Amino acid sequence: MRTRLSQPFANQLKRRIRTIWGVNDSYYWYPLSTSPRLDVIAFDSDYIEDVDQKIEEIRQWVWVQGTELIFELHEDRTLWQIDTASLDPCYEGRYLERYWFDQKMNWIIYASHESTISFGGHGLITSLQSYWSDWQEHLSDLDNRFFE
């Protein structure tokens, strides 16, 4: 299911995501630009894309949060409502850069054309790190906060 949101509601969500996560109209987010938050992490997309188990673990975490509907923001600034089963947090040339989040905005996912997939939100990150024992080996080279 994919439904385009009305402009007033879409504008409201865009203002909130800008305030909460620092997503602005430049099209790029962490790690391609800075984030006002520390609870963000970026992986090489090859580590996640086309790995059904990882995609399912992400969906499962979202589902456990009680999130049945999520929002998908495209690079062209259109905003869509999708169901959790439709979540495919990967870069796809047709939609270009994309973000996913729920109305509470406790978490965010961002897929970039620079082969990164970023996650924001302490709960989401902690969960993924517990699922993926080798997560540190697959951080994006652009995410240098974990390297000394």
Side-chain angles (χ1 to χ4, degrees):
M1 176 203 73
R2 180 181 310 276
T3 306
R4 188 168 179 169
L5 297 181
S6 69
Q7 201 58 45
F9 186 47
N11 288 340
Q12 177 189 12
L13 288 173
K14 289 176 198 175
R15 282 191 299 275
R16 288 188 61 222
I17 199 169
R18 178 180 293 123
T19 300
I20 294 169
W21 289 103
V23 172
N24 58 39
D25 291 334
S26 74
Y27 305 114
Y28 303 117
W29 191 61
Y30 189 82
L32 305 179
S33 69
T34 59
S35 171
R37 310 238 334 208
L38 298 177
D39 57 343
V40 294
I41 192 168
F43 292 96
D44 291 323
S45 61
D46 289 343
Y47 179 60
I48 299 167
E49 286 183 344
D50 301 322
V51 181
D52 292 340
Q53 179 180 348
K54 285 188 172 48
I55 300 300
E56 190 53 40
E57 289 164 345
I58 295 165
R59 284 186 193 130
Q60 185 63 34
W61 183 86
V62 169
W63 186 259
V64 167
Q65 303 313 299
T67 305
E68 293 181 27
L69 297 173
I70 51 185
F71 301 105
E72 183 178 275
L73 176 62
H74 294 189
E75 181 176 318
D76 66 3
R77 301 335 242 181
T78 57
L79 192 56
W80 303 82
Q81 182 176 307
I82 64 172
D83 57 18
T84 304
S86 299
L87 174 63
D88 186 17
C90 302
Y91 178 79
E92 206 244 61
R94 180 171 51 160
Y95 300 120
L96 306 174
E97 313 274 327
R98 293 188 290 170
Y99 301 84
W100 296 268
F101 52 93
D102 70 350
Q103 195 159 355
K104 296 177 190 174
M105 296 201 188
N106 293 328
W107 58 270
I108 187 171
I109 302 170
Y110 166 66
S112 81
H113 72 285
E114 295 292 338
S115 300
T116 65
I117 300 177
S118 302
F119 299 89
H122 180 74
L124 176 56
I125 292 169
T126 301
S127 178
L128 296 179
Q129 289 170 333
S130 72
Y131 288 142
W132 307 338
S133 60
D134 61 345
W135 68 270
Q136 287 182 309
E137 299 167 32
H138 299 281
L139 292 171
S140 168
D141 291 338
L142 301 172
D143 189 345
N144 59 13
R145 292 175 306 111
F146 291 92
F147 302 107
E148 298 185 30

